[in-house]
Amino acid sequence: MARRKKAFVGNVGDVDLRLMRVFKVVAECSGLSAAQSKLGVGASTISKQISDLETRLGVHLCHRGRGGFSLTQQGEIALEHIDRLMAATNEFTSNMAAINNQLTGTIDIGMIDFTLADERNPLMAAIGKFRETAPDVNVRLMTGTPAEVERGVIEGRLHLGIVPNYQQHPSLSSQKLYDEGVGLFCAGEHPVAEAQRTGSPLPAHKVEQHALVHRGYYESDLLRSKKKRFPVGSIADQTEAVMALVGSGLYLGFFPLHCAAETRAEYLEVLPEHFRYETPILAIWRTDRKNSLLLQMLINFITPT
């Protein structure tokens, strides 16, 4: 009978944190070879460090060898916990430095794609002011679906998220930033576009007979109510993917008005008096991070007064 590995016990020490950082880098690089340049050590040393971490935690974190690199199920869960621990450690370091009037560290922001293209988005101006006040703080940005951004904020990997107002976890606080205009679009080769060019009658119920690009995540009640009569033509998560599918001429799709205005492709808005709407864009953050000095500074710069 195989001996059961010893479960993790005791306090997290400096050695544990160092090994966890190594594992995190390897996971982000999807392998030991790619992680060598970032860590500055050879693959054999990295493998030994991961083995030490596995012994310390009592779980098998990853498969590595000739068959390639992949995380085990336990490794994926452990990585989530390590991400949260690293975020908490970095925030503690930043807050202690701020007490001594030394604003250092990193602040992580998540947003949906094409958000920055809207001139009403205050993020870039806020980052500029933030950097003037705290020049030694690194600002990192990532893009993802609303669910991915929200999860990053909940898990502590992101300090701030910018998402549409579609649902909100009870652990989060939020502030409305602005309203984003959204319309229904088709490409120039689509039958609906041809009907618009020729002036043929185009009632809403006829438009709703055409296949639509749906999103692969939960959306606001307002948007779901507008989409429910359309047959599903395709599914996409990112706005850019929706626009590409609409641009093929095969589907209709909802996306922000500013996106259509800034692309070289030909998109026609369909019955704006019926399908156009506005959705609030929110800044979200974890309520229990209210004592994070860097986060509060960024919130003050980004939210309307």
Side-chain angles (χ1 to χ4, degrees):
M1 182 175 178
R3 180 181 295 178
R4 185 173 182 180
K5 291 186 176 181
K6 185 178 180 181
F8 177 81
V9 293
N11 298 321
V12 176
D14 290 341
V15 174
D16 299 320
L17 292 174
R18 178 171 59 82
L19 295 177
M20 290 177 189
R21 290 189 180 98
V22 169
F23 173 59
K24 178 175 168 61
V25 170
V26 173
E28 290 173 345
C29 293
S30 300
L32 278 66
S33 297
Q36 291 181 75
S37 59
K38 283 193 173 184
L39 295 172
V41 295
S44 60
T45 300
I46 296 173
S47 182
K48 174 63 166 57
Q49 291 171 327
I50 291 179
S51 294
D52 291 343
L53 180 62
E54 289 176 326
T55 300
R56 180 73 172 104
L57 299 180
V59 297
H60 183 42
L61 296 172
C62 59
H63 304 290
R64 50 196 186 278
R66 293 182 179 180
F69 176 87
S70 63
L71 295 176
T72 64
Q73 184 176 13
Q74 290 175 315
E76 291 177 352
I77 297 172
L79 182 60
E80 292 180 359
H81 292 310
I82 289 171
D83 281 339
R84 287 195 286 269
L85 176 60
M86 294 294 103
T89 301
N90 292 335
E91 186 165 317
F92 172 79
T93 302
S94 298
N95 285 342
M96 293 307 298
I99 292 175
N100 293 291
N101 296 318
Q102 297 175 354
L103 293 173
T104 61
T106 301
I107 190 156
D108 292 281
I109 305 169
M111 56 191 176
I112 54 175
D113 65 328
F114 276 94
T115 302
L116 292 180
D118 195 326
E119 62 182 12
R120 291 173 292 182
N121 188 338
L123 178 59
M124 295 312 295
I127 290 176
K129 295 176 182 177
F130 182 86
R131 289 282 292 169
E132 288 178 4
T133 305
D136 294 327
V137 176
N138 294 319
V139 178
R140 293 191 299 210
L141 300 175
M142 64 80 71
T143 60
T145 66
E148 290 170 339
V149 173
E150 183 182 73
R151 183 181 179 191
V153 174
I154 292 172
E155 294 180 349
R157 292 180 285 107
L158 298 173
H159 291 84
L160 190 78
I162 298 178
V163 295
N165 182 23
Y166 71 109
Q167 63 178 356
Q168 186 169 317
H169 193 272
S171 67
L172 300 178
S173 296
S174 66
Q175 172 68 47
K176 177 179 172 181
L177 300 179
Y178 61 97
D179 289 312
E180 180 179 67
V182 179
L184 177 67
F185 291 90
C186 65
E189 302 302 319
H190 194 277
V192 170
E194 180 63 25
Q196 290 199 144
R197 281 194 294 265
T198 60
S200 301
L202 192 63
H205 72 273
K206 290 288 186 181
V207 174
E208 291 167 343
Q209 295 175 3
H210 293 275
L212 182 80
V213 180
H214 286 246
R215 297 286 182 138
Y217 52 80
Y218 186 89
E219 296 180 298
S220 68
D221 293 340
L222 175 61
L223 185 51
R224 288 190 294 119
S225 69
K226 289 182 176 293
K227 288 185 173 183
K228 65 181 180 181
R229 295 185 181 87
F230 289 90
V232 178
S234 185
I235 297 176
D237 287 335
Q238 303 286 355
T239 298
E240 187 174 9
V242 176
M243 295 176 68
L245 289 167
V246 172
S248 72
L250 299 175
Y251 311 107
L252 301 175
F254 284 92
F255 51 81
L257 303 177
H258 64 84
C259 295
E262 293 167 9
T263 182
R264 291 178 295 177
E266 180 187 2
Y267 294 105
L268 299 176
E269 187 177 4
V270 181
L271 301 183
E273 68 280 3
H274 184 84
F275 293 111
R276 183 186 290 188
Y277 71 99
E278 288 194 336
T279 184
I281 301 297
L282 308 180
I284 60 172
W285 61 92
R286 216 166 69 182
T287 303
D288 63 3
R289 295 185 95 165
K290 62 183 179 181
N291 293 325
S292 170
L293 300 178
L294 295 182
L295 174 60
Q296 288 303 315
M297 183 185 301
L298 181 61
I299 291 173
N300 290 338
F301 284 134
I302 199 173
T303 55
T305 55

